[in-house]
mmCIF file of all heavy atoms in Angstrom:
data_model
loop_
_atom_site.group_PDB
_atom_site.id
_atom_site.type_symbol
_atom_site.label_atom_id
_atom_site.label_comp_id
_atom_site.label_asym_id
_atom_site.label_seq_id
_atom_site.Cartn_x
_atom_site.Cartn_y
_atom_site.Cartn_z
ATOM 1 N N GLU U 835 -20.802 -6.527 0.644
ATOM 2 C CA GLU U 835 -22.173 -7.021 0.498
ATOM 3 C C GLU U 835 -22.080 -8.535 0.449
ATOM 4 O O GLU U 835 -21.526 -9.097 -0.500
ATOM 5 C CB GLU U 835 -22.795 -6.486 -0.796
ATOM 6 C CG GLU U 835 -22.986 -4.974 -0.774
ATOM 7 C CD GLU U 835 -23.341 -4.413 -2.147
ATOM 8 O OE1 GLU U 835 -22.447 -4.285 -2.993
ATOM 9 O OE2 GLU U 835 -24.524 -4.107 -2.360
ATOM 10 N N GLU U 978 -28.993 -10.767 2.272
ATOM 11 C CA GLU U 978 -27.888 -9.904 1.834
ATOM 12 C C GLU U 978 -27.505 -8.988 2.980
ATOM 13 O O GLU U 978 -28.312 -8.195 3.464
ATOM 14 C CB GLU U 978 -28.251 -9.081 0.598
ATOM 15 C CG GLU U 978 -27.080 -8.188 0.189
ATOM 16 C CD GLU U 978 -27.271 -7.437 -1.125
ATOM 17 O OE1 GLU U 978 -28.084 -7.851 -1.955
ATOM 18 O OE2 GLU U 978 -26.572 -6.408 -1.289
ATOM 19 N N VAL U 980 -25.233 -6.030 4.328
ATOM 20 C CA VAL U 980 -24.489 -4.900 3.764
ATOM 21 C C VAL U 980 -23.752 -4.147 4.868
ATOM 22 O O VAL U 980 -24.372 -3.626 5.796
ATOM 23 C CB VAL U 980 -25.459 -3.926 3.048
ATOM 24 C CG1 VAL U 980 -24.683 -2.778 2.396
ATOM 25 C CG2 VAL U 980 -26.294 -4.674 2.008
ATOM 26 N N GLU U 1038 -16.946 -2.088 -7.656
ATOM 27 C CA GLU U 1038 -17.551 -3.224 -6.974
ATOM 28 C C GLU U 1038 -16.941 -4.503 -7.554
ATOM 29 O O GLU U 1038 -17.041 -4.758 -8.744
ATOM 30 C CB GLU U 1038 -19.067 -3.192 -7.200
ATOM 31 C CG GLU U 1038 -19.808 -4.270 -6.451
ATOM 32 C CD GLU U 1038 -21.319 -4.252 -6.750
ATOM 33 O OE1 GLU U 1038 -21.717 -3.614 -7.748
ATOM 34 O OE2 GLU U 1038 -22.066 -4.876 -5.989
ATOM 35 N N LYS U 1089 -21.941 0.595 -13.833
ATOM 36 C CA LYS U 1089 -23.077 0.590 -12.918
ATOM 37 C C LYS U 1089 -24.226 1.466 -13.447
ATOM 38 O O LYS U 1089 -25.386 1.119 -13.313
ATOM 39 C CB LYS U 1089 -22.618 1.060 -11.540
ATOM 40 C CG LYS U 1089 -23.570 0.716 -10.431
ATOM 41 C CD LYS U 1089 -23.038 -0.298 -9.449
ATOM 42 C CE LYS U 1089 -24.188 -0.830 -8.611
ATOM 43 N NZ LYS U 1089 -23.765 -1.682 -7.538
HETATM 44 MG MG1 LIG M 30 -26.390 -2.821 -2.954
#
Side-chain angles (χ1 to χ4, degrees):
E835 294 169 283
E978 179 173 338
V980 183
E1038 184 183 16
K1089 197 113 195 187

